[in-house]
Structures are given as C-alpha cells and as structure tokens.
Amino acid sequence: MTSFARAAAAENAGNLEEARTRYLDILRTEPQNPAALHRLGMVELRLGRPREAVILFQKSLAIAKDLEVYLDFGAAMAAMARWDAATTVYAAALRVAADSVDAQYGLALALHRQGRPQDAEPHYRKVLATHSHLGEVHNNLGVALQDLGRVAEAAAAHREAARLDPADAVAWSRLGVALHRLGRNAEAEAAFRKATGFAPLDAENWHNLTALLDAAGRPAEALAAGRRAVALDPSGARNWLALGNAAHAAERREEAWRAASAAIRLAPSDPAARNNLANALRELGRPQDAVAEYRAALDLQPDFAVAETNLALLLSSQRDAEGALAVLRALLARQPENGEAWRRLGGVLAEAFRPDAAVAVLRNAVAIAPGEPDGHTDLAMAAAMAGWSRVSADACRRVLRLVPDHAAALGQLVHQQRLLCDWRDLDGLEALLLHRVRAGAEGVSPFDVLSCASTLADQKSAASRWAAAKARGVTPVVRTAAAARDGRLRIGYLSADFREHAMGHLMVDALETHDRSRFAVTAYSTGIDDVSALRQRFQRGIERFVDLRRHTDADAARAIAADGIDILVDLTGFTTFSRTSILAARPAPVQVNWLGYPGTLGADYVDYIVADPTVIAPGEEGFFAERVVRLPDCYQPNDRRRAIAEATPTRAECGLPAEGFVFCCFNSAHKLTPVQFDGWSRILAAVPGSVLWLYAGAPQVAANLCREGEARGLDPGRLVFAKPVPHAEHLARHRLADLFLDTLPYNAHTTASDALWAGLPVLTLQGTTFAGRVAAGLLRAAGLPELIADGQEAYEAAAMGLARSPDRLRELRQRLARNRPICPLFDTPRFTRNLEAAYRAMWEIHRTGGAPRPITISADDGPDTATQEEGKVP
C-alpha cells in the first residue's frame, strides 16, 4: 500500500489526525502533489480549520485545475455561507468542465443565496436540461421563480417536483405557498395538507396551513393548525405570530395576547410582533398599553405603515383626533400614494365631525385605489354626513358595481336618492333592499329602511342585526352603588342633539320641567357644541350637563355607571352620530329608547320604548324588542317657549304668488315619494291657482321635483322652494301657508309640531309603522283628529275640499289657536308628569326584581298611576 493510500484509508476511517500526519509527510517529500494538497484540505476542513483548508485548495488548484477540487472547494465555501467565494469557485469549475452538472447546480445555489435569483435561474435550467428527474432542482427553481414574482411558473416547478416524488413534503409545501399567492386557495390547502400528511412533525407545514386558513376566514381551523405549529416548534417566533393572528380572528383575545407576548420574548426586535401584541392589547381593552406597543414597533421600524395606521385608528377611537391626524399625515408625507392611509385619514376626520374635509381626503383615496370598495364606502358615508347627497349616491353606485351584494351601500343609495328626490329606478332599488333585509343581510342601517314601504317586521329585523353588530366586542361595565343617595330617581339622557336640532327643540322644555325634588336629571352629550342659544339653554336648564363627546364609548359608559344612573334614556337611536355601543355596555340597570328614533332598536340591552296608543297600536308589541310604555296623549313633547318671529315675510319674499291657495310640506326631502307626488299633482290640478311650497335643502332637489312635476303635466312654476332660515323665522313663514300636506310612509314629526305650533293645520295619512303614525298622534293630542285621512283617496279629497272651503279651514285654524294653550300636545308640564310616572313604574318593576314588562300610563287615573300586565304600581 502506497503512502497516499494509507493516508486516504485513515481519512475514510475517520482517523483525521493520522490522515493529516500522513498527508503532511507526503507533502514534505512532494510539496507540489495536488492530490495530497486537496485531501489535506478536506481533512483540515473536517477538523474545523477552514482557513487552512482554503489555502490548501488554492495551492492544489494552482498546480492542477481539477474539477473535484473545485467542487469540494465550492462546497466548503457554501458550508461557511461564503456565497460570493462559492460563486467564484463554481464559475471557475465550469470553465474547466462546462458540462459539469454539479458545478452548474452549485453555482445556481450560490447565486440564489446571494439574492440573485435572476442569475441563478439559467443554471437551474441547465441542470434540468440533462437531469430532469431531480426534484430538488425543480423545487429550488420554483423558489427562484417565486422570488422573481413569476408565481405561476413557480407553481409548475413545484408541481413537477411533487410529481417526481409524491411523498416530497417540501415540494407540496412550496407548491401550496405558490398556489396561495395565486389565490387558488382550495388547491393550496390540498397541497399543505399533503405536506402535513407526509411530514406531520414539520412545524413549517403547519405554519403555512395556519396562514392559509386564517386568510380564508376559517379562524377555528387556523387556530388548531397554529397550536400544532407552536407545539412542534415553540422556539419559532413566526409560529407564535401566526397563532396570534388566528386567535385574533377567532376573537380568542387572551390567547392572541399570550401568543403575541411569546413572539415578543423570542423576537424582541421584530416590529411585526410588537404590532400584533398591540392589536391584542387593544382588543383586551388596554388602549394605553396598545399605544405603547405600536410606538415601540415604530421605533424599531419607523416606516411601518401598518403599525402607523393601527396607531392612528386606536388614537381616533380614543377620541384623540389630533394625535391620529398627526400620525396619518406623517405617513402620507412619506407615502403620498398610500390609498389606505388616505382612507383612514378620511375616517378620522369624519369621526371628528369634519365631514367636508373627510370628503376631500377620501377623493384622494378612491383616485389612488379606484377598485377598492372600502374607499368608496367611506366616501359615501362622509359625503352623506356633509349633506352632499349626489356625491354620496355616486359613491354608493361605485361600491355596488364593485360588490353587487353590498347591502349597506344599497340602503344608503336608496336613502340618498330619496334625499335628492331622484326617483329614477328607485322602486327597483327599494324592492331589492327589502328583499335583502328579509333575507338577513348584514350592515343595512335601520334608518334607511324606515322611509321604504317596509313593515314592522322588516324594521325589527334590520334593527336587531344592527344592534347586535354595535354590541359585538363590547364589555359590560361594572356598576357599583353610588356612595350617597338623596332619595331621587337618577335619570340620564344620552343624545348627540343637545343643540340647534329638531330633537333639541322638541325635548328641551320637558327636560327643564322635571320635578327636581323627585328626579335628578343628567344630560350626557355626545354631539358637537354648536354654541347656539338652544345649546346654552340645555346647559343652563338641566341639573347636570356632561359633555362626553371626547370620551370613548367604553369610557362614556363607565362615567354614566359611576354616576349611579338608574334609568338611561337614549334620545338618538340609529340616527346620525348615535353611540349605540354605550348602551350595549349596560351602564344603567334600566335603559329606554325614546323620541330620537321612531322604531325599535332591536336590542336586548334596551328595556323599554316610550310610545303612545297611536304610534304603537295594541297587538303590535311583538314587533318591538323593547317593552312598550304608552303615555296617555302623545309620546312627543314640545317646547312652550319655542319662539315665532313677530314679522311675517311677504309672499313675494318667499317666492309665493300674490294670490292662490298655498299647500306646503316642509318635511325632509327623503320623506317624499313618487306616490305622494302623484297625489299632490292631482290636488294642484284640482285647485286652480294653488301652489305647493316645499323645503329643498339642495339645488338638485328642486331640479328633480320640477322634472317630476313636468312628467305629471304640472307647471314647474306651481312648485315653490323654501330656503333655510333661522328657526323662529321658519315658524313665522308658516303663516303664509294654508294647509300642510303630510307624507307617508314616513310622517312629519317635528315639522308637524312646528306647523301646529305656528297655527297651520296639518293633513295626514295614518300609516302602518311608528314613523307613519306620528302626525296622527300629534293631531289627536292637538284636538284635530278629523285631519287624519283614511287612505290616499280620502286624503286627496280632504285637501281639495279644504282648499275650496275657506270657512271650514278658518274654523280649523281658530280651533287650533284655542287649543294651543290647553291641549295635551303643548302642555309640557302634563307631558313631563306622565313621563315621570312611566319612569317610576319602570323603576318599581326593577326594584322589586321583575323583568321589564309593558306599561300604560292612564290619563283618567292621573299621571302618578301606571297600569301594567300585573296591576297597578304607584
């Protein structure tokens, strides 16, 4: 046996020190022996002396350009992650042996590891040209193609690898990744499940499956896969991150927090982990801790747009609009084409009661991402808040083109077209909306359903789903007994409308008139301070006035609970700027729906609805989630101090003709319907020289109504449009009208009270829902029940008859003038005593441990008596 053979035998036997000694002995006598230099280099490498190995490889190659030396040298550089050196070595090998498959593959891997997939690709393909049976090479080619964004080609490469070896879990896993990126989720899931089947102990496969299931909206399955991944590899931060995402989607808040915390412990410098922990803390109701984690994420990665957006949204939800705006504006200064940031900025501005600015910002969002429905949805909402109905309607149409089954956009489109009196295709849209409501569609605002030809069942259905959504994720507050009680019942009124607003005008006198010896009254304002005289009157006239506008819903609920409120009365319902989630937190033991919303709130967290015998008829209680409380006269209060300007404008100043009968309807335009307008056109045709005086808040309303009039053969000159004026002046101009014509299915409410207070008779139709019966209740309480028509034909006949019977109309005016000081409609002290009797009855039921039940306040027995299902309660 030669000396070289003995050295090689020792090397092969693993006797490395002996082999090293023998190779050195050879080199002492043959210093230029390339084979000995090569093998000694391999021994030094195995002994952990890579520097010495590199020198020996280089010496060997300087003597003889041997392919095997190049391949071992390249492999040694790759093992040390010296990818640049490996690239140089493998390239040199190919100059020696251009057909070397090993050199081609080694060079491909080295280039790929350097982040040069475009350079690696041709070398992978050269290997496969002669060795297409190598599944590993197909897999690596697939990874390179994914890196290059050529995902469909990557999927084909991985699929070929899986075909060559159907048990190759790596191939199935990588195929799943590619298919997921292509949006072929069902195929991707099948591939991932193949991978987990062939390699059930590989955490990577379970991690991939978790991410897929989470993205597919299957949180329970994602949670199970994520738990398996962390069980197999608890040291992998990305597994905990995936589990946290799945737990977050499954609303497993504590588990999401624990997973995110584990990811932070393993990867404290990972900004994504910090962001996820912040998300979990936010969901756990720990907003200050969440803010700190978002800021920590941004300290680690200042250009982390997702964390910036999340931070801004949290600050906005905490009523820190300025902080949120600052974060988003800084983001947009860096990324002016970030459509999501523009959209979020618009949302913050809208939440801050700055809808005009929100509209301008959201126009940028939809210009950048015209195919994203959320931007158009937000634009529609902000434009509606700003009173720009045409812009809102256009945005809704865009949403529906992108997402045809978007029920919320459909409801808003119907409402905005009503506000514009744009009745083209409205019947079909309304029918579709009601069909969606009856099919259980989520997201339809109940208010949008009120003006449609909806039933009480429709209205309850929409309200119940809306109320449930508002309660989702809300944590009930813990109520504690107040430290000191003075024997009075504590009533809290929650409203966004303690200001110059229709509801404000209705309720101010009643709230001022409460018996302070028996009731402690607090107004909780969630709306803007418009610095109006009416706002100041509320602040002066109510015992306690608390501004909650900058409180979060949770903080507002805690504040109300801390005040020891016994009965919380919501005066806003589902109208603009409502804060229903405050009610969902149950800050008071008894909660009441009254005045602001003419229908059920559909919520199990609201106990009673205040009504009267007209607006909710006996036998209809099942259509209301609340227990019905019937006041004896009318559920609506009025203000005895409502000022009417002394000076009456001239007909010319109001655009009215010098002569002729003046019909008027000052209802909001959304209450007008094509059927109603048909009837009004017939009335005008039957009363020569008459005009119809309407309120048009937007120029488009007048234009659309004139067009509709012409279509019905009506001279547009017989339609007169009233401009906005201060409230006292608005009441004064009622003196120029002869008869107020009401609407259906949504009656005049405050506008009817205004007309009657100003001495103008109101002719109404009684509908089948709360919103369509209010005017009838007002007329009965005013002593004018004969002005309630029974059907459309009777309504039109009554209008024509009154226009032709000045004596009859004069008698109605005179009776209204006599009744005004004494009738129940305008007797606020009487109304308030009845309301207080209702509150006492509610509280007595609660105090004695009973469940809420219907209550009727009897006028015959006096306001201190309430009739219930189980008898009398003082």
Side-chain angles (χ1 to χ4, degrees):
M1 183 181 291
T2 66
S3 298
F4 190 91
R6 284 192 291 272
E11 178 186 355
N12 292 335
N15 300 320
L16 299 181
E17 288 295 346
E18 179 187 347
R20 180 174 182 274
T21 300
R22 292 184 180 280
Y23 284 131
L24 285 171
D25 288 342
I26 294 171
L27 289 169
R28 284 191 191 96
T29 57
E30 300 177 62
Q32 298 298 309
N33 186 325
L37 289 166
H38 173 207
R39 298 317 310 168
L40 179 59
M42 292 300 296
V43 169
E44 295 285 15
L45 195 65
R46 293 175 67 185
L47 287 170
R49 294 196 281 265
R51 180 178 297 179
E52 290 80 354
V54 167
I55 294 170
L56 290 164
F57 288 143
Q58 290 172 333
K59 286 182 177 180
S60 176
L61 290 169
I63 298 167
K65 308 299 184 186
D66 187 283
L67 177 63
E68 292 302 319
V69 180
Y70 277 117
L71 294 177
D72 285 343
F73 190 4
M77 295 298 94
M80 292 186 287
R82 292 277 308 278
W83 299 110
D84 52 346
T87 298
T88 301
V89 172
Y90 284 125
L94 286 172
R95 287 194 292 273
V96 172
D99 59 349
S100 170
V101 172
D102 290 330
Q104 288 284 4
Y105 191 35
L107 180 57
L109 292 172
L111 289 167
H112 199 171
R113 286 302 190 95
Q114 288 182 77
R116 297 165 60 185
Q118 70 279 9
D119 296 326
E121 179 193 355
H123 296 287
Y124 285 134
R125 293 195 182 280
K126 285 181 180 178
V127 173
L128 292 172
T130 57
H131 291 68
S132 61
H133 61 286
L134 297 176
E136 178 187 347
V137 183
H138 285 286
N139 265 333
N140 285 326
L141 173 61
V143 174
L145 292 168
Q146 287 213 54
D147 292 342
L148 291 169
R150 291 154 58 187
V151 185
E153 295 175 71
H158 295 311
R159 194 182 297 280
E160 178 62 13
R163 186 191 68 79
L164 290 167
D165 182 359
D168 185 350
V170 171
W172 287 113
S173 179
R174 290 176 176 172
L175 174 59
V177 171
L179 292 169
H180 189 191
R181 289 183 64 185
L182 289 169
R184 292 157 62 179
N185 290 343
E187 295 175 74
E189 181 181 352
F192 286 142
R193 293 202 181 276
K194 286 268 192 182
T196 58
F198 289 122
L201 301 182
D202 187 337
E204 175 74 11
N205 297 331
W206 292 104
H207 171 273
N208 290 336
L209 183 59
T210 303
L212 174 74
L213 294 168
D214 183 39
R218 293 157 62 185
E221 295 171 80
L223 201 58
R227 288 169 178 161
R228 187 73 179 270
V230 299
L232 290 168
D233 182 15
S235 65
R238 63 198 300 265
N239 294 331
W240 288 105
L241 280 174
L243 175 61
N245 289 336
H248 176 78
E251 298 184 359
R252 299 289 297 264
R253 295 184 176 88
E254 288 287 344
E255 186 170 1
W257 170 69
R258 287 194 298 271
S261 298
I264 290 290
R265 286 193 296 273
L266 293 165
S269 298
D270 184 348
R274 295 280 176 185
N275 179 70
N276 281 18
L277 179 57
N279 291 341
L281 290 166
R282 181 193 65 208
E283 293 299 319
L284 283 172
R286 295 167 58 185
Q288 298 310 314
D289 293 336
V291 167
E293 289 298 333
Y294 284 132
R295 294 198 185 281
L298 292 170
D299 287 341
L300 292 166
Q301 183 181 329
D303 62 344
F304 191 178
V306 170
E308 286 176 284
T309 303
N310 287 340
L311 173 60
L313 292 177
L314 179 56
L315 291 172
S316 179
S317 73
Q318 296 298 298
R319 303 285 157 176
D320 181 4
E322 292 308 314
L325 293 173
V327 171
L328 289 169
R329 285 170 176 152
L331 169 58
L332 286 164
R334 296 194 323 273
Q335 299 180 13
E337 295 302 309
N338 188 324
E340 176 70 6
W342 282 113
R343 186 173 78 83
R344 297 302 188 181
L345 180 61
V348 173
L349 289 166
E351 286 287 328
F353 299 95
R354 297 169 60 185
D356 289 357
V359 169
V361 162
L362 288 164
R363 288 186 192 276
N364 288 340
V366 299
I368 291 168
E372 291 294 328
D374 287 346
H376 296 282
T377 300
D378 289 354
L379 175 58
M381 185 60 67
M385 291 171 62
W388 298 359
S389 292
R390 184 183 58 78
V391 175
S392 181
D394 288 345
C396 289
R397 292 188 189 97
R398 179 65 179 175
V399 174
L400 291 168
R401 284 196 292 272
L402 294 168
V403 187
D405 60 349
H406 199 298
L410 176 62
Q412 189 169 342
L413 175 59
V414 168
H415 187 67
Q416 295 305 317
Q417 286 199 202
R418 286 194 173 283
L419 281 169
L420 291 166
C421 292
D422 181 0
W423 299 331
R424 294 168 294 188
D425 73 358
L426 188 60
D427 287 345
L429 291 172
E430 180 179 309
L432 180 58
L433 176 62
L434 292 176
H435 173 75
R436 296 262 175 88
V437 168
R438 290 162 188 165
E442 298 282 344
V444 177
S445 168
F447 187 78
D448 294 343
V449 179
L450 294 184
S451 300
C452 298
S454 57
T455 65
L456 288 171
D458 295 331
Q459 294 175 12
K460 183 180 181 183
S461 175
S464 296
R465 287 190 290 275
W466 190 265
K470 293 296 182 182
R472 206 164 289 142
V474 173
T475 302
V477 299
V478 177
R479 296 193 298 264
T480 56
R485 304 285 299 194
D486 57 9
R488 298 185 295 168
L489 199 58
R490 299 188 181 196
I491 310 296
Y493 289 101
L494 179 68
S495 178
D497 300 324
F498 294 118
R499 56 191 171 95
E500 187 63 39
H501 186 277
M503 290 298 103
H505 283 287
L506 287 180
M507 63 185 163
V508 63
D509 196 4
L511 272 57
E512 291 172 333
T513 311
H514 269 303
D515 180 354
R516 292 196 179 185
S517 70
R518 303 177 74 178
F519 296 88
V521 176
T522 302
Y524 294 104
S525 174
T526 60
I528 60 171
D529 179 358
D530 60 359
V531 200
S532 63
L534 188 57
R535 171 74 169 206
Q536 294 170 23
R537 183 177 164 189
F538 275 117
Q539 291 174 326
R540 289 192 309 268
I542 299 175
E543 186 172 343
R544 288 182 69 237
F545 190 96
V546 180
D547 191 343
L548 296 179
R549 176 186 164 191
R550 298 193 182 280
H551 285 55
T552 66
D553 290 346
D555 287 343
R558 282 191 285 268
I560 294 168
D563 286 344
I565 293 299
D566 299 317
I567 300 175
L568 181 63
V569 184
D570 179 49
L571 296 165
T572 308
F574 295 141
T575 59
T576 307
F577 305 125
S578 64
R579 300 277 294 276
T580 310
S581 295
I582 296 174
L583 293 173
R586 267 288 183 183
V590 177
Q591 300 193 155
V592 181
N593 167 21
W594 174 48
L595 190 61
Y597 184 76
T600 183
L601 296 185
D604 59 7
Y605 45 84
V606 179
D607 305 296
Y608 295 100
I609 181 171
V610 177
D612 59 49
T614 298
V615 293
I616 301 180
E620 293 178 343
E621 291 82 0
F623 295 109
F624 294 81
E626 311 88 339
R627 303 288 78 77
V628 177
V629 178
R630 290 186 177 89
L631 302 184
D633 305 309
C634 181
Y635 87 104
Q636 188 189 94
N638 272 282
D639 178 16
R640 297 163 296 165
R641 295 166 55 189
R642 202 174 342 181
I644 304 177
E646 292 186 8
T648 303
T650 66
R651 288 172 69 118
E653 287 171 338
C654 293
L656 297 168
E659 302 291 338
F661 194 91
V662 178
F663 296 102
C664 82
C665 179
F666 292 141
N667 286 356
S668 171
H670 81 270
K671 298 183 181 182
L672 278 58
T673 69
V675 171
Q676 201 81 53
F677 205 66
D678 290 342
W680 288 349
S681 297
R682 289 189 290 268
I683 292 168
L684 290 174
V687 182
S690 62
V691 295
L692 178 58
W693 195 11
L694 301 167
Y695 177 77
Q700 298 97 327
V701 173
N704 286 335
L705 288 176
C706 286
R707 184 189 68 244
E708 293 290 340
E710 287 181 323
R712 291 162 173 80
L714 185 66
D715 178 359
R718 298 185 70 182
L719 298 177
V720 181
F721 298 97
K723 298 178 181 178
V725 295
H727 193 252
E729 295 175 25
H730 171 62
L731 292 178
R733 66 183 172 186
H734 281 73
R735 300 178 186 129
L736 300 177
D738 297 298
L739 182 64
F740 189 110
L741 297 178
D742 195 15
T743 52
L744 199 69
Y746 201 133
N747 280 174
H749 295 184
T750 307
T751 45
S753 282
D754 284 344
L756 295 170
W757 179 251
L760 177 63
V762 175
L763 177 65
T764 192
L765 275 163
Q766 182 166 308
T768 58
T769 66
F770 191 131
R773 294 174 176 167
V774 171
L778 299 177
L779 287 166
R780 289 190 175 99
L784 297 173
E786 63 267 50
L787 289 176
I788 305 169
D790 183 17
Q792 181 67 28
E793 187 175 342
Y795 171 87
E796 293 177 29
M800 297 172 193
L802 288 169
R804 296 165 181 160
S805 306
D807 291 343
R808 173 67 178 141
L809 192 58
R810 187 180 307 109
E811 188 275 328
L812 287 170
R813 281 182 174 275
Q814 290 171 349
R815 192 185 341 151
L816 180 56
R818 291 193 303 271
N819 287 355
R820 198 178 84 160
I822 59 173
C823 70
L825 181 61
F826 299 118
D827 187 346
T828 306
R830 172 192 174 101
F831 174 88
T832 307
R833 288 195 303 273
N834 287 329
L835 184 65
E836 289 173 345
Y839 290 156
R840 286 195 298 274
M842 295 175 198
W843 187 249
E844 182 65 15
I845 293 170
H846 171 75
R847 187 187 65 79
T848 56
R853 56 181 179 265
I855 297 170
T856 298
I857 304 302
S858 171
D860 295 336
D861 295 333
D864 286 343
T865 302
T867 302
Q868 303 160 45
E869 288 183 348
E870 299 178 17
K872 303 277 189 175
V873 175

